[in-house]
Amino acid sequence: MDDIVIHYLEKPQLEDPVFVQGLPGIGNVGKLAAEHLKDEMKGVKFAEIYSKFFPPQVLVLDDGQVRLVQNEMYYVKRGKGKDLVVLVGDYQGLTPDGQYELADFVLKELHKLGVRRLFTLGGYGMGRMVTKPRVLGAATDKALVKEMEGHGVVFARGEPGAGIVGASGLLLGLGKVYDMKAVCLMGETSGYFVDPKSAQAVLEVLTKVLDITIDFAELETRAKQIDQITSKLREVEAVPEGPGKEDLGYIG
Amino acid sequence: MDDIVIHYLEKPQLEDPVFVQGLPGIGNVGKLAAEHLKDEMKGVKFAEIYSKFFPPQVLVLDDGQVRLVQNEMYYVKRGKGKDLVVLVGDYQGLTPDGQYELADFVLKELHKLGVRRLFTLGGYGMGRMVTKPRVLGAATDKALVKEMEGHGVVFARGEPGAGIVGASGLLLGLGKVYDMKAVCLMGETSGYFVDPKSAQAVLEVLTKVLDITIDFAELETRAKQIDQITSKLREVEAVPEGPGKEDLGYIG
Amino acid sequence: MDDIVIHYLEKPQLEDPVFVQGLPGIGNVGKLAAEHLKDEMKGVKFAEIYSKFFPPQVLVLDDGQVRLVQNEMYYVKRGKGKDLVVLVGDYQGLTPDGQYELADFVLKELHKLGVRRLFTLGGYGMGRMVTKPRVLGAATDKALVKEMEGHGVVFARGEPGAGIVGASGLLLGLGKVYDMKAVCLMGETSGYFVDPKSAQAVLEVLTKVLDITIDFAELETRAKQIDQITSKLREVEAVPEGPGKEDLGYIG
Amino acid sequence: MDDIVIHYLEKPQLEDPVFVQGLPGIGNVGKLAAEHLKDEMKGVKFAEIYSKFFPPQVLVLDDGQVRLVQNEMYYVKRGKGKDLVVLVGDYQGLTPDGQYELADFVLKELHKLGVRRLFTLGGYGMGRMVTKPRVLGAATDKALVKEMEGHGVVFARGEPGAGIVGASGLLLGLGKVYDMKAVCLMGETSGYFVDPKSAQAVLEVLTKVLDITIDFAELETRAKQIDQITSKLREVEAVPEGPGKEDLGYIG
């Protein structure tokens, strides 16, 4: 079989679309953010990606049917230069070479779809509890850095110190080869829990950049649930909240 | 060498055969069930599958001869729509990509043999002793779910929570691509021991579905032997039998 | 680069040669035996095999020069049906698929050299000290099993229980595909030490089979050195010598 | 995508250039040395190498821009037979086969550039603190061994006992195939810290061989900083400085 297979449910005609990706990673920040975006924007699924670089696994749906683990692409029609393509999924590639192959594959498909601008979303592990997550950035050129700074994205020298590992970084790194202008937005997160609050911080920036208005109620509800759990844990286990930041490096 | 090699001992002419697979996995439930079925039905071996995705190993038979570790296919002639193809074997693929390649390879061969309906057999690890194993199911479409429910198969929301990992799941997931109607039957098992009782539970469902009558004496004898061992162990080590179910996830 | 590269120093004309292989493995029994054989028979090196399935490593020779880790083939001219090809080397393949590829590659080269009969040498780990190592066997057909029994080789039901892992086994398993008659000779060994005594036991059988007379002085000297070390260790640490055999499985 | 991609910024015309490589490894000796050399010689970057054998990672530069992890080649024009090509980088290949592929790839590019002489730089782990690091050598032929001995390089029987693992060794081992004359220079280092002092020792030899004069002030400053840290650590933790050398084997 092919290493990676894409199955188009529909071939959408999009005008100069912007691409947004969020996959599982630290705090699941990117995945939560991208899924919330496509849900709120009523994205239409148009492609499924299977790969032997994913785990050999099917998921069992509530009705007893199975589906292979996959990545999925959704589109949102908003008009020329504002159309969206959103990629979410169950897994990132399992191996380093799988990560490269998947990133390259996605970039080739995006090129065909006319995408020239990318946003990858992820978490930035702080190793300590984070009350007000900042959104850190990295980009493929200086003009983008400036533009993002105007939207409150933090570009801090030496952060992230270990670079960006995984699909969020590779799409930028390999995107340069395809002449894609790309930004990675990373929400600060402890790295200990799934973090809807960090996902919201990332989305607040992204929606400002893309001139989108969405509701955050669902993320806020989930953040409250997580807060209740972690505050209980903190009573019991005294999770550190002070400085003592360690760079966990992985971003996803 | 080719990644996967199939060696046909015979090219059977089958009429709309049904495929059954049982490979090593949790509790060896699938392997025990499929081997018992082909033994009782006097299946005829017609193909051997070698692969560099299996361990680099030969087995030494009782007469001193060796054979490569392999998967094997047997057929049973029962008439149109009732013929069986049974796949058993020493190993599943060692790596994720090997699992994908092997599942895809088997599906291609099944397609040539005219197979359109698959049953994969496996165990569902409960993390506790199981007295009366239920048989859980997953399927490629809703009609099959309904049909299986009619035979007592349990489709429980959120079970298995972690999906189905390995060959049993992949054949369903990739089978959809080949337009195969497929069911995975999973016998509940502790996950601590080889489990002939769970294998019997799975086979009792399968034989009802396929309208087959077979003898279970051998599985029952083996189940009694295991029971004796585990009851002694329980006296000594107090293996938990209460609730405290953990989803071990792997099914095989 | 190619996955496996063979570099012929010479293309020997051999008459129906017999192949002998000994690579690193448990107790280094196979490697010691095969190297002793080619040294005593004054084998002439005629081919070197490099591969990316070996470690990325060079060895530094005593004169400061390097050489890539490799497998090597030597020939010995003794006349029709008695010529030898001996393969020794620094490593076996690192990965399962590498093991398969290397075994298949070697078999193809042997086929070109006119080889139809193989002997692979290895150790059989007992998990206890062995005073008088038996030589166990496995073969590709029943006639060979009988022939080897006539030379004192032991074919014991259920031994080795876990089969034969690695190059020694694969050459037999894949050799069948190339219509090679092949025997694996395994000297019993503790699995704790390099074992020249076991290597000698294996060679005593092999030389009888091949009607070769060689000197064992060097192996005997090395065996004595090891004996001195292990007897000292036994005083201090009480290494078990009694029964309590565990099947270590790996043979090499 | 291709397994390895080279992107030429410029196609330099070099006359019989000498190649120098230093990549991350034990004590980062090779990387420190090669980077210092190209910095002091004002090397001009002319090629970037990406590969799926490297980690799936981008680095974030101080200005917020990203770049894929890579290896880089620089040239220095000094005249016929004295031109330099220097390779430095973020990583070595992650897997054994990746190491082989990368070494073979680099050798092919060097061949096109007219390179016939290689120097690979690395550290030699001693497992103890080293006050005055010797520079050990290995080479592709005896004449080179002699020449290097004339420059104070130590070729000690049995050192390094475990051979040379990684890119430094492979370039020599595979270089023979491309008829390259190659030397590996290894600075003794504890293996516990980044070691600019060992890097300087290696460079002092190399610059003598290549008839180059460079300033070592920066390496000396960094060595002093490391010395201060390690001397403090020694007070506290008593890092062994006596004999007790263990061969750490890995060289890089």
Side-chain angles (χ1 to χ4, degrees), chain C residues 52 55-58 63-66, chain D residues 100-101 139 162-164 166 169 176:
Chain C
K52 65 186 197 188
Q57 183 181 3
V58 294
D63 62 2
Q65 290 191 79
V66 299
Chain D
Y100 274 95
E101 291 290 358
I164 306 174
K176 272 181 150 176

Side-chain angles (χ1 to χ4, degrees), chain D residues 111-243:
Chain D
H111 184 78
K112 288 185 220 161
L113 290 164
V115 169
R116 290 180 302 176
R117 205 171 180 200
L118 315 177
F119 292 87
T120 65
L121 313 182
Y124 177 39
M126 302 294 284
R128 59 172 170 83
M129 299 308 282
V130 176
T131 322
K132 290 196 176 169
R134 295 180 302 163
V135 176
L136 297 169
T140 48
D141 64 74
K142 281 189 189 170
L144 270 175
V145 172
K146 276 231 165 120
E147 187 190 335
M148 291 302 122
E149 282 179 331
H151 291 286
V153 177
V154 177
F155 291 82
R157 209 177 146 141
E159 285 186 308
I164 306 174
V165 177
S168 287
L170 275 190
L171 276 196
L172 270 66
L174 291 170
K176 272 181 150 176
V177 180
Y178 290 88
D179 215 28
M180 300 270 185
K181 293 186 175 309
V183 174
C184 179
L185 299 175
M186 298 161 267
E188 289 185 328
T189 182
S190 69
Y192 303 139
F193 309 100
V194 169
D195 194 343
K197 195 193 286 177
S198 180
Q200 183 172 342
V202 167
L203 267 190
E204 281 171 353
V205 167
L206 182 66
T207 50
K208 238 193 309 176
V209 174
L210 298 180
D211 195 21
I212 289 173
T213 312
I214 57 170
D215 186 84
F216 290 109
E218 205 190 300
L219 282 180
E220 282 163 359
T221 308
R222 294 174 74 171
K224 271 179 207 152
Q225 293 165 347
I226 300 284
D227 270 355
Q228 283 171 356
I229 297 167
T230 58
S231 64
K232 271 183 201 159
L233 280 173
R234 242 178 301 165
E235 284 169 30
V236 185
E237 297 189 38
V239 174
E241 184 160 12

Side-chain angles (χ1 to χ4, degrees), chain A residues 21-170:
Chain A
Q21 173 182 281
L23 288 171
I26 204 158
N28 254 3
V29 173
K31 181 179 159 93
L32 285 172
E35 286 191 341
H36 186 76
L37 179 69
K38 69 101 179 149
D39 288 347
E40 293 294 321
M41 299 293 290
K42 304 199 190 319
V44 180
K45 184 160 86 169
F46 69 96
E48 298 172 336
I49 298 171
Y50 310 105
S51 173
K52 65 185 198 191
F53 300 124
F54 294 146
Q57 185 181 359
V58 294
L59 302 179
V60 183
L61 309 181
D62 283 346
D63 62 3
Q65 291 191 79
V66 299
R67 71 162 180 77
L68 264 181
V69 296
Q70 63 186 42
N71 286 358
E72 297 172 344
M73 291 210 278
Y74 294 78
Y75 69 82
V76 180
K77 293 227 177 187
R78 299 170 67 225
K80 186 172 167 55
K82 299 180 125 186
D83 286 349
L84 298 180
V85 173
V86 181
L87 186 145
V88 296
D90 304 306
Y91 286 100
Q92 296 197 21
L94 289 177
T95 56
D97 63 318
Q99 288 265 15
Y100 273 95
E101 292 289 357
L102 284 161
D104 189 70
F105 183 94
V106 165
L107 284 165
K108 285 205 177 91
E109 295 302 318
L110 296 183
H111 184 77
K112 287 184 221 161
L113 290 164
V115 169
R116 290 180 303 176
R117 206 171 180 199
L118 315 178
F119 291 87
T120 64
L121 313 181
Y124 177 39
M126 302 296 282
R128 60 174 170 81
M129 299 308 282
V130 176
T131 321
K132 291 197 175 167
R134 297 180 302 163
V135 175
L136 298 169
T140 48
D141 65 74
K142 282 189 190 170
L144 270 174
V145 172
K146 277 231 164 120
E147 185 189 336
M148 291 302 122
E149 281 178 333
H151 290 286
V153 178
V154 177
F155 291 81
R157 207 176 147 142
E159 286 186 308
I164 306 173
V165 177
S168 286
L170 275 191

Side-chain angles (χ1 to χ4, degrees), chain B residues 9 17 48 55 58-59 69 72 84 115 118 121-122 133 137 154 170-171 182 185 196 198 201 205 218 245 252:
Chain B
L9 311 173
E48 298 172 336
V58 295
L59 303 179
V69 296
E72 297 172 344
L84 298 181
V115 169
L118 315 178
L121 314 182
V154 178
L170 274 192
L171 276 196
L185 299 175
S198 180
V205 167
E218 205 190 298
K245 173 191 167 300

Side-chain angles (χ1 to χ4, degrees), chain C residues 10 14 21 33 44 58 114 126-127 144 172 179 185-186 192 235 241 243 247 252:
Chain C
E10 183 185 340
L14 303 170
Q21 174 182 281
V44 180
V58 294
M126 302 295 283
L144 270 175
L172 270 66
D179 215 27
L185 299 175
M186 299 161 266
Y192 302 140
E235 285 170 30
E241 184 159 14
D247 188 348

Side-chain angles (χ1 to χ4, degrees), chain D residues 35-51:
Chain D
E35 286 191 340
H36 187 75
L37 179 69
K38 69 102 177 147
D39 288 346
E40 293 294 321
M41 300 293 290
K42 303 200 188 320
V44 180
K45 185 160 85 168
F46 70 95
E48 298 172 337
I49 298 171
Y50 310 105
S51 173

